[in-house]
Amino acid sequence: MKVTVLYLLLLFNACFAVAQQRQYSTTNSNAIKYYARAGESLDSRQYSEALNLLKQAIEADPNFVEAHAQLGDLYRLQQQYGQARSEYVKVTELKPDFSRSIYLKLGEIEISSGQYTSAKQHLEKYITYPNITAKDNYYARKLLADCDFSLNALQHPVAFKPVNLGAEINTANDEYLPVATADEGTLIFTRKIDNNEDFYKSLKQNSRWSTASNLSRVINTPDYNEGAQSISQDGKYLFFTGCNRPDGLGRCDIYVSKRSGEDWSKPFNLTSPINSPGWESQPSISADGRTLYFVSNRKGGYGGYDIWKSTVTGRGWSEPENLGPNINTALDEQSPFIHPDDSTFYFCSNGWPGLGGKDLFVSRLGKDGKWQKPENLGYPINSGGDENGLTLTANGNYAFFASNALGGYGGYDIYTFELPAALRPRSVTYVKGTVTDAQTQRPIEAIVEIIDLGTNQPVFKDLSSASQGDFLATLTSGKNYALNISKSGYLFYSDNFSLKGHDATKSYNVSVNMNPIEIGGKVILKNIFFDTNSFALKEESKTELKLIADFLAMNPQVRIEISGHTDNVGTDVSNQKLSENRAKSVYEYLNVHGVNAAKLVYKGYGKAQPVVPNTNADNRAKNRRTEFKVISK
């Protein structure tokens, strides 16, 4: 033991001798001794001891510049930013050119505490120094842009009145990353208990959230963290992040689980190309379920964490595509949220000008199909700290977020607030429907597809649930849509509807009775379109024509008659000819596109088979139709 103590004393004396030889701003031997010992404590990560030693060094000589700088760094390491700033300012007062990095550190700290004028002065001083690296120069100028933006934003605050969701949702633990279904009937969020993250859910009952409960023991695990989730608009699919799981490809991967009755299916790893040996997290699924946005640090990005997207194809998920320089920067972009309008995108970033840390931004899809440069959500929605995890209700009027800076129940709590009108997405509503057997009234699991008639593009495709026959689709307001429902053994259902003038705050409800295939069974093809007095098929008819082809392929024994019908306007001869030509146009299109002619016949009936009396314009429109009838099966 004596040898050991002697060795340590000799080692300390040697270090102290070296310290004495260095050129310090002080000649006080006690100050230098304390400073040297503090350095040893820092090397061994004994931060409390180093803190006391640095204070003793400064007490021995209050003008000891190196000790003030070291103490500032230690306070900064421990996130005691106010004390760190005081020490750095003291350094600049004692010796303005002691270290240029002091000015960059001051700028960072002052931005985080909202001292933008002072931060700007220090950052402008920093960039006057020669030979600054390109990386540091970029970062300093980015911080200067933060200062300029912030000083303006403080003069133009936006409305922001956050409301805590209450004890039914929030506890003394951390609650964060909330997402709601389109009908706002279910809220799913992450709760962290003893470093374990799990999902919880709450149901809205009589305009109040119920006490949150564990989402599912199939998804939540005691050994791994589950978090950063996105729920499909109908509440049937949950995309989430799972870390360090045995079936993972990297540190964190993206998984999906499907609701099964009252529980959820076993999570499925989305694998390659979405997941990689890197880090994938924070998924956000589009309203039509076909595009997944997520965060990754994979190769090919702009630096740090970037936002990527992948789209469902006939072969599975496509190779992920970086969202590009109008979204991603050399720093970090995270927490993507694609609104159900599919053209308004929210995320957080510390790479675009903001108020400090990570701010919330919104980008809108341009007419060229590219995301436009983002808009900061403004002050006081954003602050000098980190803001992230913003999600919206389907109608776009309210947002959910988590914060630990607003009081509450402890840790991070979940809040909601009314989003300023200028920051809202386009108006959307949701269609809720049920599919049942027309004879038994039992629910049917059928393919439900909704097509935007303006673009002739599908905007929703999914199965109605087997247990209840229900489906829910979020759609942009003010448009016309086609609704097609099909199932093997049943006549398919064809209809169209308009959301022009529909109150976007209310759902558009549909009840569909599916008829089993029987000889004589008829389907009115409501999405076959012709111009007046023309038998040339319009472009928007092609989706329905494909549906007929799929129906015949799904039911190979079925043979149908395609028929054309008119109203009573015009001569009998002209009506008969027009109806026959329209039926023939459908017949020929199907035949050219792969349907065996032996499965088809066509016939025109003119005005002979009206479905309603030809007494007004609406009725006459209903009588002008194309339909098919099962003639054998």
Side-chain angles (χ1 to χ4, degrees):
M1 178 63 70
K2 289 182 180 179
V3 173
T4 303
V5 171
L6 179 61
Y7 173 78
L8 290 175
L9 287 172
L10 290 171
L11 179 63
F12 172 74
N13 288 335
C15 293
F16 181 61
V18 172
Q20 283 183 312
Q21 294 172 8
R22 292 181 56 183
Q23 295 297 313
Y24 288 117
S25 60
T26 183
T27 57
N28 186 298
S29 59
N30 284 330
I32 294 173
K33 178 182 69 176
Y34 290 130
Y35 181 77
R37 289 175 56 192
E40 295 170 359
S41 297
L42 287 171
D43 289 341
S44 58
R45 299 185 179 181
Q46 296 176 345
Y47 298 132
S48 295
E49 182 178 316
L51 190 73
N52 290 328
L53 288 166
L54 289 169
K55 288 180 178 179
Q56 288 178 279
I58 292 170
E59 184 177 350
D61 184 353
N63 295 327
F64 190 179
V65 175
E66 291 83 358
H68 283 292
Q70 188 72 275
L71 185 56
D73 287 344
L74 183 53
Y75 278 133
R76 183 166 170 260
L77 177 68
Q78 296 179 326
Q79 299 182 345
Q80 299 181 51
Y81 297 123
Q83 294 93 321
R85 180 181 183 275
S86 296
E87 297 302 324
Y88 289 147
V89 168
K90 188 68 175 178
V91 171
T92 64
E93 292 172 348
L94 291 170
K95 193 173 183 180
D97 290 321
F98 170 73
S99 170
R100 67 188 183 193
S101 67
I102 293 291
Y103 294 99
L104 183 60
K105 295 172 185 176
L106 270 170
E108 282 185 312
I109 289 173
E110 288 167 338
I111 286 174
S112 69
S113 59
Q115 297 169 285
Y116 301 110
T117 300
S118 180
K120 184 175 182 178
Q121 293 170 350
H122 288 130
L123 291 166
E124 287 175 339
K125 170 72 174 177
Y126 175 74
I127 63 174
T128 63
Y129 284 95
N131 302 321
I132 297 174
T133 66
K135 182 178 179 180
D136 287 343
N137 184 62
Y138 169 86
Y139 184 55
R141 292 186 182 278
K142 189 272 167 185
L143 294 179
L144 275 170
D146 286 346
C147 293
D148 290 335
F149 172 83
S150 301
L151 289 169
N152 181 65
L154 292 175
Q155 300 301 314
H156 303 90
V158 298
F160 181 58
K161 295 180 179 179
V163 177
N164 191 295
L165 289 192
E168 290 77 14
I169 302 292
N170 296 311
T171 67
N173 298 296
D174 287 337
E175 284 83 22
Y176 44 87
L177 295 175
V179 292
T181 52
D183 60 2
E184 298 178 44
T186 303
L187 185 75
I188 295 178
F189 61 92
T190 303
R191 178 176 287 166
K192 186 176 182 181
I193 302 176
D194 297 330
N195 292 318
N196 185 261
E197 294 177 306
D198 281 333
F199 295 125
Y200 283 74
K201 68 176 180 181
S202 175
L203 306 179
K204 184 171 280 189
Q205 300 169 344
N206 299 321
S207 300
R208 290 185 59 86
W209 293 109
S210 65
T211 300
S213 59
N214 190 291
L215 177 66
S216 169
R217 298 194 181 280
V218 177
I219 295 178
N220 292 329
T221 64
D223 299 321
Y224 310 107
N225 286 337
E226 295 79 32
Q229 74 284 4
S230 175
I231 192 166
S232 61
Q233 291 295 296
D234 59 6
K236 292 180 181 178
Y237 296 91
L238 186 74
F239 294 81
F240 69 94
T241 306
C243 296
N244 302 314
R245 290 177 174 240
D247 60 346
L249 301 186
R251 184 161 58 91
C252 290
D253 281 6
I254 297 174
Y255 294 76
V256 65
S257 178
K258 183 179 180 182
R259 196 179 69 193
S260 177
E262 295 300 316
D263 208 344
W264 295 80
S265 67
K266 181 181 178 181
F268 172 76
N269 187 307
L270 292 186
T271 67
S272 177
I274 288 179
N275 292 321
S276 74
W279 186 91
E280 281 76 36
S281 182
Q282 301 174 4
S284 181
I285 190 70
S286 62
D288 62 5
R290 300 183 61 81
T291 303
L292 184 71
Y293 299 84
F294 63 96
V295 177
S296 177
N297 62 352
R298 65 179 62 209
K299 293 181 180 179
Y302 289 82
Y305 292 99
D306 277 8
I307 299 175
W308 301 70
K309 73 172 183 177
S310 176
T311 303
V312 171
T313 69
R315 299 181 178 180
W317 293 101
S318 67
E319 190 67 32
E321 174 188 346
N322 190 289
L323 260 58
N326 278 2
I327 298 294
N328 294 312
T329 69
L331 299 178
D332 292 334
E333 282 68 44
Q334 294 180 308
S335 300
F337 176 75
I338 181 67
H339 186 264
D341 70 355
D342 276 334
S343 61
T344 313
F345 187 71
Y346 298 84
F347 65 100
C348 75
S349 170
N350 61 0
W352 294 98
L355 285 103
K358 291 187 177 72
D359 275 15
L360 297 166
F361 295 84
V362 58
S363 175
R364 304 182 191 275
L365 199 64
K367 293 181 180 179
D368 58 358
K370 297 180 180 179
W371 294 107
Q372 305 303 292
K373 286 192 175 181
E375 174 187 0
N376 189 295
L377 295 194
Y379 170 84
I381 295 176
N382 288 317
S383 69
D386 284 342
E387 280 77 35
N388 54 49
L390 184 85
T391 62
L392 272 66
T393 55
N395 62 24
N397 294 338
Y398 288 86
F400 296 104
F401 75 107
S403 175
N404 64 351
L406 299 172
Y409 295 83
Y412 280 89
D413 279 3
I414 295 174
Y415 294 80
T416 186
F417 69 96
E418 187 172 4
L419 199 65
L423 301 174
R424 293 177 187 175
R426 292 190 301 173
S427 177
V428 300
T429 188
Y430 57 97
V431 175
K432 294 183 73 171
T434 56
V435 185
T436 55
D437 184 299
Q439 297 178 357
T440 67
Q441 297 303 304
R442 291 178 179 173
I444 293 177
E445 185 181 57
I447 299 171
V448 181
E449 185 173 31
I450 300 176
I451 296 97
D452 181 338
L453 289 174
T455 63
N456 203 33
Q457 294 297 314
V459 292
F460 176 84
K461 189 172 184 179
D462 201 358
L463 293 172
S464 56
S465 72
S467 59
Q468 296 178 314
D470 64 314
F471 66 91
L472 185 150
T474 305
L475 303 175
T476 303
S477 300
K479 292 188 174 186
N480 296 321
Y481 296 93
L483 172 64
N484 296 318
I485 302 178
S486 58
K487 182 177 176 63
S488 178
Y490 287 83
L491 296 173
F492 70 79
Y493 178 87
S494 169
D495 202 355
N496 55 61
F497 59 93
S498 177
L499 294 182
K500 292 182 178 180
H502 177 74
D503 184 352
T505 64
K506 298 179 180 179
S507 64
Y508 185 95
N509 298 311
V510 179
S511 294
V512 176
N513 287 316
M514 299 281 285
N515 289 293
I517 297 174
E518 295 179 348
I519 294 176
K522 294 181 179 181
V523 174
I524 298 176
L525 301 169
K526 295 185 178 180
N527 298 305
I528 299 291
F529 303 103
F530 303 92
D531 284 326
T532 302
N533 294 322
S534 170
F535 54 87
L537 287 162
K538 298 184 74 171
E539 184 69 22
E540 54 263 43
S541 303
K542 292 183 178 179
T543 300
E544 185 109 313
L545 292 165
K546 183 179 183 302
L547 195 64
I548 300 171
D550 291 344
F551 166 77
L552 292 170
M554 192 183 299
N555 302 281
Q557 76 285 4
V558 171
R559 187 165 177 261
I560 64 172
E561 174 194 88
I562 301 164
S563 59
H565 304 265
T566 68
D567 57 24
N568 64 347
V569 177
T571 67
D572 291 352
V573 173
S574 63
N575 282 335
Q576 177 62 33
K577 185 176 181 180
L578 180 63
S579 65
E580 185 171 331
N581 282 334
R582 285 181 171 180
K584 184 180 179 181
S585 293
V586 174
Y587 169 88
E588 290 178 339
Y589 182 94
L590 292 172
N591 188 219
V592 168
H593 287 82
V595 177
N596 190 335
K599 296 172 68 66
L600 305 169
V601 295
Y602 68 90
K603 188 173 182 179
Y605 287 92
K607 66 176 184 179
Q609 296 184 358
V611 291
V612 291
N614 283 297
T615 54
N616 56 55
D618 287 343
N619 281 3
R620 285 192 291 272
K622 292 176 182 177
N623 288 328
R624 297 190 298 269
R625 69 196 188 279
T626 306
E627 64 183 29
F628 77 73
K629 177 175 67 175
V630 177
I631 56 178
S632 67
K633 68 171 189 172

